[in-house]
Amino acid sequence: MTEPLAVVIVAYNSAGVLEECLRSVRVAIDGIDGTRIIVVDNNSGDDTLEVAAAVCPEAEILRLPGNLGFAAAVNAGVELAGGADVLVLNPDIRLEPGAVRGMREALTVPGTGIAVPLLLDKIGRPAFSLRRKPTALRALGEALLGGTRAGLIPAFGELVVRHSRYREPGTADWATGAAWLVSRECLAATGKLDERYFLYSEETEYMLRAGDAGYAVRFAPRAAATHLGGEQSTSPELWSLATTNRVRLRRQRAGRPAALVMWFAVVLNELLRIRRGPKHRLALRQLLRWRRWPSLPGEDVGYVCFSAQDWWYHNKAHSDFQLMRAVAERRKVLVVNSIGMRMPAPGRSTQVTRKILRKLRSVAMLVRRPLPDLPNFHVMSPLPLPFYGSPLLRRINAFVVRAQVRAVCLALGLREPVIMVTIPTAWDVVRPMAKRSLVFNRSDRHSDFPESDKATIQTLERGLLRDADTVLYVSQALLDEERPLTGDRAYFLDHGVDLDHFRARPVSEQPADLRRIPGPRIGFFGALDDFVVDFELLERVAAELPEASLVLIGDSSHPMDRFDKYPNVYWLGFRAYETIPAYGSGFDVALMPWQDNPWIHHSNPVKLKEYLALGLPVVSTEFAELAKYAGRVRVAAGYAGFVEAVRESLNRGASCTPELLRASVADYSWRSRAAALTAIAEGAPART
């Protein structure tokens, strides 16, 4: 097979078993070119990471900010793998030589999406690892007859126990998830593992969902692996979680009535075995104290984010939206669209009528759940009165906005949420609100915004810097400057990147309007705002590199007719976030042509990591955060230097390979950023 392959090993306090796992993987992939080894660690408290680095220096190590569960770790590894076939392994797996080749051969059988090996126990005996679809009748059969005896009768047992089934290739409804190879096509069609399960049944749900999509689970008996296992059978907590997740899975797939029948069957199983040990007693207690999903740390905490952008007309790539979408995977979230920093007015604002009308259209959207796959993610647009220059009007505006937000919070059950503020004008609104903690997301110095009332915004910023429980920074320079105000409440969080979204697309998947533009292409995607983008610099690039096409993608607050005289400039206007990676994949060089002003000096544009995730050569004007990207970005001072850096990039490409550029930002998933945010924010005591 020629498909790229990534081996994803999920670890948690696995120092005692990981070494042998990694050694077996290195032997099993020997001769398979381009295979990557990715160790995803759920924030182990032992020497797991040190063992991984010592035994397998070539492994890519991704440490999550907390124990997010097996499914979340697999999802993070798949995201990092970036479009490869993925072999998922427990750290207590020992692959036999030839195991990987055997599973890859199984994937070539038409209709196959997942391949699983023959699992052996500690002394080399075949283990029963193949399963039938879980049903209440099978759960009842196992309760009354035991798993092995019930498995002899397919209608009454989930476990496949006939030895003949383990000697020949075949298919199963699902299989033990200690080792399983998933094709890139199956991953794309089936999506992510369901992280609500945390541990156990997540592989069951995924494999059954893959089957629903037409992808078979194929057993490859000539691919063998030893599975040490055993922890579930000895730990009451793990046994209880595995037991209750069986009912959750049945409810998810078949509804409440079927789940109720399954619940009775599983309760009977634990009752009949209650004398055998504490694991059955704990499982029974958990079944009787039923919760739809496992009780995980922070699951009852809600978040309200006062964003600096508006969901309905700004780019969805902004950090507020990305962070809150990731938080909403586990917690209820309300995003409050930007309440502005001053009323647009002729003489100090551009496109005044357009800005007012689009805000009114946003307000008319009321409260919505815009993402069907994220039912916990809500967006509202309060009607503001953005007259921040007058203290009286500021108080009236704060009261009006606060009343609207409180009403929505009450309806959503957000009684004491973590409040995150990005836009300083929300300070008057949130100050009297009940909150678990207050987070000031200091993504920019908003008092440097040209259209703002500088003195008023500075006052609001100082209030937040003084009173917030936590101040998050993406600019180390800004953090250092404001350390006297924030002290140990300041944290550097940095931006993330959606690696799965920002992956290079082949030419055939690039948009037709881009393909019609002659190459080579020098490109920019994002907001073309005149207070951040240096349009004179772009004009110099167009004039001095007439042999290249300058492609600009994004809404503009600046008159773009200045480029009409350049036949090699193509302004494509706004494009949806979903299409941006396909456009970026067609760039030969990506630009960051920023103004030389205080706003930029304290910024950290999200697009830098997006460009690198696409593997693009990047040329940028200078700002403080670029110091961390030495060797990956060409930084130029002055117009002549910038043009020369673009010319060099066109002629020589980036200073390292696209694969290395992408790998350099692999640790910065939005999920990992959100996990760090929740860990910091929820450590603070409740406040009123």
Side-chain angles (χ1 to χ4, degrees), residues 250-317:
R250 188 63 179 156
R251 173 170 174 156
Q252 182 179 359
R253 289 188 59 83
R256 291 185 179 183
L260 181 61
V261 179
M262 174 69 87
W263 181 85
F264 277 113
V266 175
V267 165
L268 177 62
N269 183 79
E270 302 308 310
L271 274 173
L272 293 175
R273 292 160 178 78
I274 198 167
R275 294 179 181 272
R276 295 187 182 180
K279 67 180 185 180
H280 296 290
R281 292 193 289 272
L282 180 59
L284 186 60
R285 286 199 300 272
Q286 294 297 333
L287 286 163
L288 294 176
R289 288 197 311 237
W290 174 252
R291 291 180 63 91
R292 183 171 179 185
W293 294 107
S295 179
L296 302 175
E299 69 171 357
D300 295 325
V301 179
Y303 279 70
V304 176
C305 171
F306 285 81
S307 175
Q309 287 79 36
D310 192 298
W311 176 269
W312 303 116
Y313 53 79
H314 283 132
N315 195 310
K316 305 298 190 298

Side-chain angles (χ1 to χ4, degrees), residues 273-534:
R273 292 160 178 78
I274 198 167
R275 294 179 181 272
R276 295 187 182 180
K279 67 180 185 180
H280 296 290
R281 292 193 289 272
L282 180 59
L284 186 60
R285 286 199 300 272
Q286 294 297 333
L287 286 163
L288 294 176
R289 288 197 311 237
W290 174 252
R291 291 180 63 91
R292 183 171 179 185
W293 294 107
S295 179
L296 302 175
E299 69 171 357
D300 295 325
V301 179
Y303 279 70
V304 176
C305 171
F306 285 81
S307 175
Q309 287 79 36
D310 192 298
W311 176 269
W312 303 116
Y313 53 79
H314 283 132
N315 195 310
K316 305 298 190 298
H318 283 290
S319 62
D320 286 355
F321 301 147
Q322 297 279 20
L323 281 170
M324 289 300 105
R325 285 166 68 172
V327 170
E329 292 178 3
R330 292 180 179 271
R331 291 153 174 82
K332 189 175 291 185
V333 167
L334 172 64
V335 171
V336 181
N337 282 327
S338 173
I339 58 175
M341 290 195 294
R342 74 178 303 164
M343 174 65 79
R348 66 169 183 244
S349 307
T350 59
Q351 302 175 328
V352 174
T353 303
R354 174 176 174 269
K355 289 180 178 179
I356 293 174
L357 289 176
R358 72 180 185 179
K359 176 55 71 176
L360 291 176
R361 285 194 294 268
S362 175
V363 171
M365 301 293 281
L366 301 177
V367 183
R368 301 206 177 190
R369 291 190 298 185
L371 302 173
D373 293 338
L374 276 180
N376 283 334
F377 184 80
H378 306 79
V379 177
M380 74 169 293
S381 293
L383 180 63
L385 304 172
F387 300 100
Y388 298 107
S390 162
L392 174 61
L393 292 177
R394 271 176 51 195
R395 287 195 295 271
I396 294 173
N397 179 59
F399 175 81
V400 169
V401 173
R402 185 165 54 246
Q404 295 171 73
V405 174
R406 276 178 167 167
V408 175
C409 286
L410 183 63
L412 296 178
L414 295 168
R415 300 188 182 280
E416 198 173 73
V418 172
I419 295 180
M420 187 173 90
V421 170
T422 299
I423 191 163
T425 46
W427 173 226
D428 289 335
V429 178
V430 305
R431 192 177 343 197
M433 292 178 67
K435 57 187 87 66
R436 179 187 176 99
S437 65
L438 176 63
V439 178
F440 183 19
N441 183 32
R442 189 67 155 144
S443 60
D444 293 292
R445 180 177 278 167
H446 285 86
S447 53
D448 290 332
F449 178 59
E451 293 184 17
S452 71
D453 182 330
K454 190 175 184 70
T456 299
I457 301 302
Q458 281 181 333
T459 300
L460 295 170
E461 287 176 327
R462 282 196 295 270
L464 281 162
L465 291 169
R466 182 185 63 247
D467 289 354
D469 298 293
T470 301
V471 184
L472 301 179
Y473 289 88
V474 296
S475 166
Q476 188 67 48
L478 188 55
L479 186 156
D480 292 341
E481 284 184 21
E482 296 179 347
R483 179 72 79 177
L485 287 172
T486 59
D488 60 5
R489 294 175 295 117
Y491 295 84
F492 182 79
L493 184 64
D494 207 347
H495 285 314
V497 62
D498 187 341
L499 277 175
D500 188 50
H501 188 54
F502 283 92
R503 55 181 176 80
R505 308 306 207 266
V507 173
S508 60
E509 295 182 18
Q510 294 169 17
D513 57 347
L514 181 72
R515 294 201 304 267
R516 286 193 292 268
I517 297 173
R521 304 185 192 104
I522 305 164
F524 172 92
F525 57 69
L528 290 156
D529 292 322
D530 49 12
F531 68 94
V532 292
V533 173
D534 190 333

Side-chain angles (χ1 to χ4, degrees), residues 36-168:
R36 298 162 60 193
I37 301 175
I38 299 171
V39 177
V40 183
D41 181 69
N42 262 318
N43 199 27
S44 294
D46 64 1
D47 296 331
T48 294
L49 296 181
E50 289 76 6
V51 169
V55 174
C56 192
E58 71 272 23
E60 300 169 50
I61 298 174
L62 176 59
R63 182 169 189 170
L64 301 181
N67 184 5
L68 306 185
F70 181 80
V74 172
N75 287 337
V78 170
E79 186 176 11
L80 179 53
D85 293 344
V86 174
L87 174 58
V88 178
L89 298 180
N90 284 6
D92 60 350
I93 281 287
R94 310 288 181 262
L95 294 178
E96 297 294 323
V100 174
R101 293 186 186 276
M103 283 186 279
R104 298 195 91 195
E105 289 173 5
L107 274 191
T108 64
V109 177
T112 300
I114 298 171
V116 296
L118 172 66
L119 291 184
L120 308 173
D121 65 16
K122 296 177 183 178
I123 59 175
R125 298 174 303 186
F128 296 140
S129 59
L130 305 181
R131 301 289 195 276
R132 304 181 183 98
K133 289 181 181 179
T135 65
L137 182 59
R138 286 173 176 150
L140 180 62
E142 292 172 353
L144 298 175
L145 302 175
T148 303
R149 285 192 293 271
L152 293 170
I153 310 170
F156 291 97
E158 192 173 326
L159 192 64
V160 176
V161 298
R162 296 204 179 271
H163 291 281
S164 59
R165 288 288 306 276
Y166 292 88
R167 289 194 288 267
E168 298 296 332

